[in-house]
Amino acid sequence: MSSWSRNSSPIDWCEENYVWHSSIAEFFNTFSNFIFFPLGFWGLYQIHLLKLPIRFYLPYLMLPIIGLGSIYFHSTLSFAGQLIDELSILWAINFCLMFQFADRCGKKGFFLHLSINQVYLLVIMIGFLLSWLGILMPILNAPFLFIFAILNIHLLRQKQIQISIFSKKYNLIIKTQLILFFFTLFIWVIDRIACYTHIETIGLIVRFLKLHSIFHILIAISGFSGISIGIYLYRPDKRNDFDIEFGFGGLLIHVIQVKQILLY
């Protein structure tokens, strides 16, 4: 069976297959990914307004690509779709490391003698290495994603301490996003376990609640907000030009120009 063939992936989530449409394996898991598109394009527009370097565009650019990869995977359940889905997330996290590592150029430790272009090359090499390992041993992709996500959170925390941002608003933003992120991971774990459990009742409950679809929506919001926090922290020379705010009823964290008029 080809890697591009339908149902060639070893992963099959709890949603019943081909129930709502003969060409779409997991209907709700497929269409819940469309949230990645407006979030990614909105983030790109904000970065354009702020006139930031290209490295700050890349994480937002990956959000629609993640959406496309996940749509393809859940609509076909192909092994190739699974890899595209997982590796696009890995590259998004990797590009977040790009602007975090770039901030360390010329400073102490490993980055003391590295130029910014060398940091870009290093991050791209790491991305290709992990992608190669992920293709050879797909079972490693989930651990890679968890480790890199936690590494990003750790680096954000270090940067916050370094530049001493401890306002009430910022602390509330961080607490809210940490709760959202770990709750989202909890949903993923429960969904993954339930899909392979022999306890039929648990599987039925998870299938009824459409947990993986909820996971898509929450991880898109969490990812967008995490990128926004990182951009805010890693542009200290422009901190007076923009801020981060709760948007859309507190669901999202996004960067704004200080003088920008918000319309919602």
Side-chain angles (χ1 to χ4, degrees):
M1 180 182 291
S2 167
S3 296
W4 298 92
S5 300
R6 286 180 174 273
N7 305 313
S8 56
S9 171
I11 297 177
D12 187 358
W13 296 95
C14 287
E15 185 177 349
E16 293 180 308
N17 299 338
Y18 303 105
V19 171
W20 295 90
H21 196 282
S22 59
S23 299
I24 301 174
E26 298 176 344
F27 186 84
F28 291 100
N29 287 351
T30 297
F31 282 93
S32 57
N33 285 290
F34 279 92
I35 189 174
F36 285 96
F37 296 97
L39 291 180
F41 294 135
W42 183 31
L44 290 170
Y45 176 67
Q46 292 290 334
I47 297 303
H48 171 72
L49 291 179
L50 295 167
K51 297 179 172 58
L52 296 179
I54 188 66
R55 63 181 178 273
F56 293 99
Y57 284 80
L58 296 176
Y60 284 132
L61 180 62
M62 288 305 301
L63 291 181
I65 296 175
I66 290 171
L68 283 173
S70 192
I71 286 171
Y72 178 67
F73 169 52
H74 288 287
S75 63
T76 65
L77 292 180
S78 67
F79 180 62
Q82 174 194 331
L83 292 179
I84 293 170
D85 181 17
E86 293 170 346
L87 295 181
S88 61
I89 300 171
L90 185 133
W91 276 95
I93 299 174
N94 205 38
F95 285 139
C96 289
L97 289 176
M98 180 176 283
F99 64 70
Q100 292 172 331
F101 287 170
D103 182 71
R104 288 167 155 73
C105 285
K107 299 179 182 177
K108 63 180 182 178
F110 176 77
F111 296 93
L112 179 60
H113 302 293
L114 291 182
S115 68
I116 195 164
N117 287 332
Q118 288 173 323
V119 168
Y120 291 168
L121 180 61
L122 172 65
V123 171
I124 291 171
M125 288 174 61
I126 291 172
F128 277 115
L129 174 62
L130 294 180
S131 298
W132 177 69
L133 290 173
I135 292 171
L136 290 181
M137 294 176 285
I139 196 172
L140 294 177
N141 285 332
F144 281 161
L145 294 177
F146 284 131
I147 291 169
F148 267 55
I150 298 300
L151 174 61
N152 267 274
I153 292 172
H154 172 68
L155 292 175
L156 290 177
R157 175 61 177 169
Q158 280 192 328
K159 186 64 178 179
Q160 177 198 2
I161 294 172
Q162 178 190 337
I163 60 180
S164 300
I165 295 183
F166 299 103
S167 66
K168 270 188 179 180
K169 181 183 79 173
Y170 184 81
N171 285 336
L172 178 60
I173 284 173
I174 292 298
K175 288 177 182 178
T176 302
Q177 289 310 302
L178 285 175
I179 292 170
L180 175 61
F181 175 73
F182 285 108
F183 176 69
T184 303
L185 290 187
F186 173 75
I187 287 179
W188 184 91
V189 171
I190 292 298
D191 190 28
R192 188 68 178 268
I193 293 172
C195 290
Y196 295 95
T197 184
H198 295 293
I199 304 174
E200 184 63 22
T201 305
I202 297 177
L204 287 173
I205 292 172
V206 169
R207 192 176 298 128
F208 174 77
L209 293 176
K210 303 291 187 291
L211 277 191
H212 200 70
S213 301
I214 295 173
F215 164 77
H216 286 158
I217 296 169
L218 294 182
I219 201 64
I221 293 172
S222 179
F224 176 92
S225 299
I227 294 168
S228 301
I229 291 170
I231 289 170
Y232 173 69
L233 289 177
Y234 280 89
R235 287 298 293 173
D237 55 317
K238 290 197 173 187
R239 185 153 304 106
N240 293 329
D241 296 336
F242 68 93
D243 198 359
I244 51 175
E245 293 286 348
F246 285 102
F248 290 93
L251 292 176
L252 292 168
I253 307 301
H254 65 117
V255 290
I256 62 166
Q257 290 177 303
V258 171
K259 296 181 181 179
Q260 179 179 336
I261 298 176
L262 302 181
L263 301 179
Y264 53 83

